[in-house]
């Protein structure tokens, strides 16, 4: 029984136990279901809010993209409008540019016409053309004491002379303790520091055409030492010898360029109708030195010469060496030789070339037929003299066995009676420095040099003054320089004075003096310059 009871109670326990297990199982699955339900509910909620958020976002996105699109479209439209406006402006600018160009062209033409008229006026009045070249500031302007007297050293360079336009120089300076200066000067042409040798020569070239047309021409550079006279006339000089270098053609000055141009113009004429002779003289301490004279061995050495007045009233330097040259390089070779002599010859020793006046003369002889112009235009005496001279020259020429293209061919010799020689002259002058150097403390050779330079340049100014005032007496005889240049300055040549100016304040006094000289030269009226080989109207005689 007991065992039976125990078994029964065990079974009951087991039943109860399993019932309890089942109940527990049931209980557990209902928690999971509840939990599941809760999660599902939550998920649904979240999904719903996510969806509404996404909807909101896409709505927002659409709205914004629409706004941006609108903005882009507006911008594109604006750009299109701006492009159109730009095109219009471009067209307008093009039109304006074109009309500006037209106006500039017209202005240039008018300017040229005015220049030509002014030139004719200058010619009619027999005025002296004055061009003014302002050189750039150079390193030595700041270097203490270079070419400047001790008492005026100032180590700062400051520009006081300007080219306002191509006809006006402005000198503007105000210094403490000095009256301020603000003065303009007018000239036929003003070159600024940036204007090249090419540009300067372009204005000189027409004078060379005149030369071959039968006019005497003289070009002289005036200015203080270091202002660019030699640079303008010859080109940059080499240091030790006085020759100028030919390395850079673009740097060549008026003298070599003028010679090239003369030979170019001659090459366009019938062969043998022109020949060219050169003389090179230096006026130093009122003495004239022939820089091409040769000794018995054919060596070049400087010889003193003098000026005399011929029966025809012309000034001449007897015995002066005239070398025939056939081309520009022969000429340059000769001039270089002459220039080197200045440094070598004992009687010609002076510290630098700016202590003397250099006069290079090209004489151009033309053979013209008398039939071409009748005999009334020049007096009989001159004609006869020229014929005689022509014959002699042709003979010497034959002796020298010069080329057959020259005027010395037999056919031409036979026709001598009908031929006539006309000589025209191109004088190229590099004057000594015009600075007003004080005499105090200067002795010996330097004093002599300075006083001769001062005297010769003031004689030149006096001559110009006398001609300008049309005085009956013109004091050419006061200096050999003025006697040598008398025919050019006094009326029988187209004369161009090239004023050279250093722009630095240090040289203010000298620059004002040079500008004054140029202004005075411009006032000279000598009457119409005569052409040498055409009939001169009787009224003008
Ligand atoms: P000047 O003959 O009047 O005494 P230079 O012709 O010897 O003066 O000129 C002095 C210096 O200035 C030289 O070294 C020269 O090369 C230089 N110079 C002059 N004019 C110019 C210029 N326009 N451009 C450049 N250098 C110049
Ligand atoms: Mg010089």
């Amino acid at each position: 029984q007991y065992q039976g009871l125990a078994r029964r109670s065990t079974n009951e326990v087991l039943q109860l136990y399993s019932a309890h297990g089942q109940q527990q199982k049931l209980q557990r699955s209902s928690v999971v279901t509840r939990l599941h339900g809760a999660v599902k509910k939550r998920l649904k909620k979240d999904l719903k809010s996510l969806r509404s958020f996404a909807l909101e976002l896409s709505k927002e996105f659409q709205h914004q993209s629409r706004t941006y699109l609108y903005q882009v479209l507006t911008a594109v439209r604006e750009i299109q409008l701006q492009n159109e406006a730009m095109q219009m402006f471009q067209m307008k600018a093009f039109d304006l540019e074109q009309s500006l160009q037209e106006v500039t062209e017209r202005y240039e033409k008018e300017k040229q016409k005015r220049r030509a008229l002014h030139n004719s006026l200058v010619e009619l009045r027999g005025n002296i053309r004055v061009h003014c070249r302002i050189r750039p500031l150079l390193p030595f302007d700041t270097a203490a004491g270079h070419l400047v007297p001790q008492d005026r050293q100032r180590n700062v360079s400051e520009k006081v002379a300007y080219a306002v336009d191509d006809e006006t120089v402005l000198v503007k300076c105000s210094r403490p303790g000095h009256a301020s200066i603000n003065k303009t000067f007018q000239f036929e042409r003003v070159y600024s520091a940036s204007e090249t040798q090419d540009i300067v020569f372009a204005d000189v070239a027409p004078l060379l055409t005149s030369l071959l047309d039968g006019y005497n021409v003289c070009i002289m550079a005036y200015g203080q030492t270091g202002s660019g006279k030699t640079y303008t006339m010859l080109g940059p000089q080499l240091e030790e010898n006085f020759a100028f270098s030919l390395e850079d053609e673009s740097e060549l000055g008026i003298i070599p360029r003028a010679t090239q141009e003369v030979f170019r113009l001659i090459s366009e004429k019938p062969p043998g109708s022109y020949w060219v002779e050169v003389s090179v003289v230096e006026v130093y301490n009122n003495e004239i030195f022939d820089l091409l004279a040769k000794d018995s061995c054919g060596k070049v050495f400087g010889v003193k010469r003098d000026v005399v007045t011929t029966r025809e009233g012309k000034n001449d330097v007897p015995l002066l060496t005239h070398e025939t040259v056939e081309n520009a390089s022969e000429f340059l070779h000769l001039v270089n030789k002459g220039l080197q002599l200045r440094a070598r010859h004992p009687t010609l020793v002076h510290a630098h070339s700016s202590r003397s006046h250099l006069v290079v003369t090209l004489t151009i002889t033309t053979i013209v037929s008398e039939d071409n112009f009748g005999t009334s235009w020049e007096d009989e005496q001159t004609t006869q003299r020229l014929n005689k001279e022509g014959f002699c020259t042709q003979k010497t020429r034959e002796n020298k066995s010069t080329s057959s293209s020259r005027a010395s061919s037999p056919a031409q010799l036979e026709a001598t009676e009908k031929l006539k020689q006309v000589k025209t002259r191109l004088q190229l002058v590099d004057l000594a420095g015009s600075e007003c150097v004080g005499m105090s403390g200067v002795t010996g050779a330097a004093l002599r040099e300075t006083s001769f330079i001062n005297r010769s340049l003031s004689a030149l100014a006096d001559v110009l003054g006398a001609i300008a005032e049309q005085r009956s007496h013109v004091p050419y005889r006061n200096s050999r320089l003025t006697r040598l240049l008398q025919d050019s300055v006094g009326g029988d040549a187209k004369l161009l004075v090239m004023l050279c100016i250093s722009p630095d304040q240090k040289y203010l006094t000298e620059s004002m003096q040079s500008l004054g000289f140029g202004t005075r030269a411009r006032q000279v009226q000598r009457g119409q310059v005569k052409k040498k080989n055409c009939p001169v109207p009787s009224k003008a005689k």
Side-chain angles (χ1 to χ4, degrees):
Q1 267 180 339
Y2 176 74
Q3 271 180 332
L5 265 176
R7 233 179 275 138
R8 255 184 274 143
S9 62
T10 305
N11 280 341
E12 268 172 32
V13 167
L14 280 172
Q15 274 169 3
L16 271 174
Y17 189 79
S18 73
H20 175 76
Q22 262 169 3
Q23 213 172 359
Q24 239 182 359
K25 240 189 223 169
L26 264 176
Q27 258 176 0
R28 214 184 288 157
S29 76
S30 83
V31 167
V32 168
T33 318
R34 271 211 313 272
L35 210 68
H36 179 77
V39 167
K40 218 168 137 187
K41 220 164 132 194
R42 183 65 193 263
L43 265 175
K44 243 186 210 163
K45 203 176 144 201
D46 279 358
L47 208 67
K48 209 171 155 191
S49 69
L50 193 71
R51 213 169 139 229
S52 73
F53 177 72
L55 267 174
E56 200 99 315
L57 206 68
S58 99
K59 243 189 251 164
E60 177 79 355
F61 173 76
Q62 270 175 7
H63 174 72
Q64 287 214 355
S65 65
R66 231 176 286 140
T67 321
Y68 288 136
L69 192 71
Y70 177 75
Q71 279 176 357
V72 167
L73 282 176
T74 324
V76 167
R77 213 169 306 138
E78 254 172 48
I79 286 172
Q80 271 171 349
L81 282 176
Q82 274 176 0
N83 260 352
E84 274 163 31
M86 180 91 107
Q87 267 171 357
M88 255 181 36
F89 280 131
Q90 268 174 346
M91 259 152 67
K92 262 190 198 164
F94 183 73
D95 283 352
L96 279 174
E97 236 169 62
Q98 250 185 347
S99 56
L100 183 69
Q101 204 178 331
E102 273 166 33
V103 170
T104 314
E105 271 166 25
R106 241 188 297 162
Y107 170 71
E108 282 302 324
K109 268 190 202 148
E110 288 301 320
K111 207 162 117 178
Q112 271 169 15
K113 262 193 226 163
R114 199 189 60 76
R115 273 240 168 96
L117 283 174
H118 176 77
N119 242 348
S120 320
L121 192 68
V122 162
E123 214 112 284
L124 283 171
R125 285 179 178 163
N127 282 147
I128 294 171
R129 289 170 181 77
V130 181
H131 292 192
C132 176
R133 185 178 201 185
I134 303 173
R135 73 151 165 80
L137 279 175
L138 294 169
F140 69 71
D141 287 326
T142 41
H146 181 90
L147 305 171
V148 188
Q150 296 286 307
D151 55 337
R152 289 187 295 160
Q153 284 177 22
R154 258 168 271 123
N155 293 348
V156 265
S157 63
E158 189 201 329
K159 209 170 158 170
V160 294
Y162 309 86
V164 180
D165 55 44
D166 61 359
E167 291 179 353
T168 318
V169 178
L170 167 69
V171 179
K172 197 170 176 281
C173 177
S174 51
R175 279 181 289 171
H178 291 78
S180 67
I181 296 174
N182 191 351
K183 204 166 170 357
T184 54
F185 298 85
Q186 299 283 324
F187 298 108
E188 270 65 44
R189 179 74 163 83
V190 173
Y191 305 100
S192 68
S194 60
E195 292 188 81
T196 58
Q197 302 277 65
D198 269 329
I199 297 174
V200 173
F201 182 70
D203 294 322
V204 172
L207 285 174
L208 303 170
T209 312
S210 287
L211 178 76
L212 289 211
D213 285 345
Y215 293 96
N216 284 337
V217 174
C218 176
I219 302 166
M220 66 167 83
Y222 184 100
Q224 65 157 137
T225 301
S227 60
K229 297 181 298 297
T230 305
Y231 179 82
T232 301
M233 293 306 287
L234 288 167
Q237 272 184 298
L238 299 175
E239 268 307 319
E240 328 74 55
N241 61 30
F242 285 95
F244 50 96
S245 68
L246 295 173
E247 259 145 45
D248 188 0
E249 289 247 325
S250 69
E251 289 277 300
L252 287 181
I254 291 173
I255 295 180
R257 282 171 195 260
T259 318
Q260 279 168 354
E261 177 66 3
V262 164
F263 281 106
R264 194 189 65 76
L265 290 170
I266 287 177
S267 73
E268 289 172 354
K269 308 274 178 184
S273 53
Y274 287 82
W275 71 83
V276 182
E277 288 163 317
V278 183
S279 70
V280 182
V281 304
E282 182 183 43
V283 184
Y284 176 60
N285 287 356
N286 205 30
E287 303 275 14
I288 294 174
F289 291 94
D290 182 348
L291 297 189
L292 296 184
K294 289 197 178 99
D295 63 12
S296 51
C297 311
K299 266 195 152 181
V300 177
F301 74 115
V303 186
K304 268 190 212 172
R305 305 275 186 220
D306 205 357
V307 197
V308 298
T309 308
T310 62
R311 271 187 294 147
E312 291 80 34
K314 299 269 169 208
N315 281 337
D316 192 21
V317 182
L319 304 172
L320 182 66
T321 313
H322 292 274
E323 290 270 358
T324 306
V325 285
E326 307 228 12
N327 52 49
S329 57
E330 260 182 48
F331 163 84
L332 293 178
H333 180 68
L334 268 182
V335 174
N336 257 337
K337 244 162 81 181
L339 290 178
Q340 271 158 10
L341 185 71
R342 290 165 103 183
R344 272 207 318 268
H345 198 265
T347 56
L348 298 177
V349 172
H350 41 95
H352 36 82
S353 55
S354 60
R355 307 282 81 197
S356 69
H357 311 290
L358 176 75
V359 183
V360 176
T361 309
L362 267 92
T363 310
I364 292 156
T365 309
T366 323
I367 299 290
V368 280
S369 161
E370 284 203 46
D371 300 341
N372 285 348
F373 47 77
T375 46
S376 64
W377 64 277
E378 229 176 37
D379 57 280
E380 207 55 33
Q381 213 181 5
T382 320
T383 312
Q384 277 167 11
R385 184 173 62 86
L386 281 169
N387 272 341
K388 240 197 269 165
E389 273 177 11
F391 198 68
C392 295
T393 323
Q394 280 163 6
K395 268 194 173 166
T396 37
R397 237 153 243 301
E398 286 224 312
N399 290 343
K400 278 168 101 182
S401 70
T402 43
S403 78
S404 60
S405 67
R406 287 277 165 74
S408 50
S409 68
Q412 275 166 319
L413 257 179
E414 267 171 40
T416 307
E417 297 305 316
K418 285 190 187 154
L419 296 180
K420 195 173 162 110
Q421 275 193 357
V422 176
K423 283 181 191 284
T424 50
R425 199 183 50 229
L426 170 65
Q427 263 181 336
L428 301 155
V429 188
D430 181 8
L431 291 172
S434 66
E435 56 275 6
C436 356
V437 188
M439 298 284 187
S440 58
V442 186
T443 51
L447 176 66
R448 245 168 84 76
E449 274 177 4
T450 308
S451 77
F452 276 119
I453 293 168
N454 286 354
R455 262 188 270 164
S456 59
L457 291 175
S458 58
L460 184 61
D462 290 345
V463 160
L464 293 177
I467 309 173
E469 288 166 22
Q470 307 195 314
R471 274 187 251 145
S472 56
H473 173 70
V474 182
Y476 292 111
R477 296 194 154 262
N478 286 356
S479 149
R480 284 218 169 80
L481 175 73
T482 44
R483 288 201 66 194
L484 191 66
L485 300 178
Q486 177 170 348
D487 297 340
S488 297
V489 175
D492 153 70
K494 294 194 178 188
L495 178 55
L496 167 67
V497 174
M498 188 67 76
L499 289 183
C500 294
I501 301 288
S502 311
D504 197 280
Q505 190 198 309
K506 281 200 236 11
Y507 314 116
L508 181 64
T509 318
E510 283 80 7
S511 300
M512 289 299 278
Q513 195 270 336
S514 295
L515 292 165
F517 177 89
T519 306
R520 194 171 190 181
R522 274 192 96 202
Q523 285 155 0
V524 171
Q525 294 186 10
R526 304 169 296 176
Q528 193 168 4
V529 173
K530 270 188 263 167
K531 193 171 172 176
K532 290 250 172 154
N533 60 352
C534 78
V536 176
S538 49
K539 252 198 260 168
K541 265 193 162 177

